[in-house]
Amino acid sequence: MPAARHDPSTDVLLVRHGEVVPAHPDHPHPRLEDGQGDPPLSPLGRTQAEAVGRRLRDVGVDAVYVSTLRRTVETAQPLLDATGLLPRVEPDLRELHLGEWEDGLIVQRLAQGDTVAVRVVAEQRWDLIPGAEPAASLAARVRAALQGIATAHPGQRVAVFTHGGVIAQALALATGAPPFPFLSGRNASLSQVVLVGERWSVRRFNDTAHLADDLSRVGVPLT
């Protein structure tokens, strides 16, 4: 069993899921009932998940949380196998719903110079995307999810396997900065936030020391 920590803080290790199988016009990602994409990990993503498991298996993780999307469960699985912990599903950790721009369309539109996509980034407004979740809704549920985890795990270390948009929002809430600059976090990267009551502090962002190809790829916003 992990050794108990003698303070009231909750150490939250935010892990972005591994790389997913890319969407193709003829083979779109599986969708949940609300239309949100739910792709599996790619072969590289599974390799990244194994690296995360090796990194975290001996650091004293007391609990593991995942979202309702399969890529977080698949990324957490090597750590679950190594520790014997069971995943706890928190629906409010799911990725930002991008409405009509699911399946990575926002990345494609940015690469093409789409005027609406350019405005989304320039104005930092998800609501410009048809059917997308409002930023205020994302912020509220991310705050509620992490505060709930902190309340359930005082003095403990928790691994939270989640998504780029959720991690960016969590770091924005902790720092008071806008969330968009934090969207550069890589797949399978590690960020860390410590919660003491309603006070949040950031200890690390986009830590990829466990990934062998650290310098060969860059992060992309939302998958």
Side-chain angles (χ1 to χ4, degrees):
M1 294 289 291
R5 294 165 56 236
H6 301 290
D7 65 68
S9 66
T10 303
D11 188 12
V12 178
L13 304 176
L14 296 164
V15 184
R16 189 183 179 203
H17 63 80
E19 181 185 87
V20 299
V21 172
H24 186 277
D26 296 330
H27 303 284
H29 288 153
R31 298 289 184 104
L32 301 182
E33 290 184 3
D34 64 359
Q36 191 164 23
D38 191 25
L41 294 184
S42 68
L44 174 58
R46 291 193 291 272
T47 298
Q48 293 168 336
E50 293 287 348
V52 170
R54 289 192 295 271
R55 178 82 183 274
L56 298 184
R57 65 189 178 191
D58 297 320
V59 302
V61 170
D62 297 283
V64 175
Y65 282 79
V66 298
S67 81
T68 55
L69 300 176
R70 64 187 293 185
R71 52 196 183 270
T72 63
V73 181
E74 292 177 357
T75 305
Q77 196 61 55
L79 178 61
L80 297 170
D81 291 342
T83 61
L85 294 169
L86 296 176
R88 307 186 189 200
V89 179
E90 172 49 68
D92 282 339
L93 292 172
R94 70 188 182 280
E95 182 59 294
L96 169 75
H97 194 335
L98 290 175
E100 295 180 11
W101 288 15
E102 287 285 317
D103 288 345
L105 286 181
I106 187 170
V107 178
Q108 297 175 28
R109 287 175 179 265
L110 282 170
Q112 296 164 358
D114 178 273
T115 55
V116 176
V118 171
R119 282 187 62 202
V120 168
V121 175
E123 300 176 26
Q124 301 197 33
R125 288 179 53 194
W126 296 119
D127 63 299
L128 294 173
I129 301 172
E133 179 181 6
S137 172
L138 174 66
R141 65 177 172 85
V142 170
R143 181 184 294 278
L146 294 186
Q147 285 291 170
I149 289 171
T151 299
H153 300 280
Q156 294 186 330
R157 170 170 282 170
V158 180
V160 172
F161 288 78
T162 184
H163 307 267
V166 172
I167 293 171
Q169 186 62 65
L171 296 174
L173 290 169
T175 62
F180 274 52
F182 294 113
L183 290 172
S184 59
R186 283 194 54 201
N187 287 115
S189 63
L190 176 66
S191 298
Q192 184 178 17
V193 178
V194 176
L195 284 71
V196 183
E198 296 186 359
R199 188 174 77 249
W200 300 21
S201 59
V202 177
R203 295 286 174 86
R204 74 184 67 212
F205 166 60
N206 197 30
D207 180 345
T208 57
H210 49 288
L211 301 179
D213 63 341
D214 187 26
L215 298 180
S216 67
R217 293 174 179 265
V218 297
V220 295
L222 306 180
T223 55

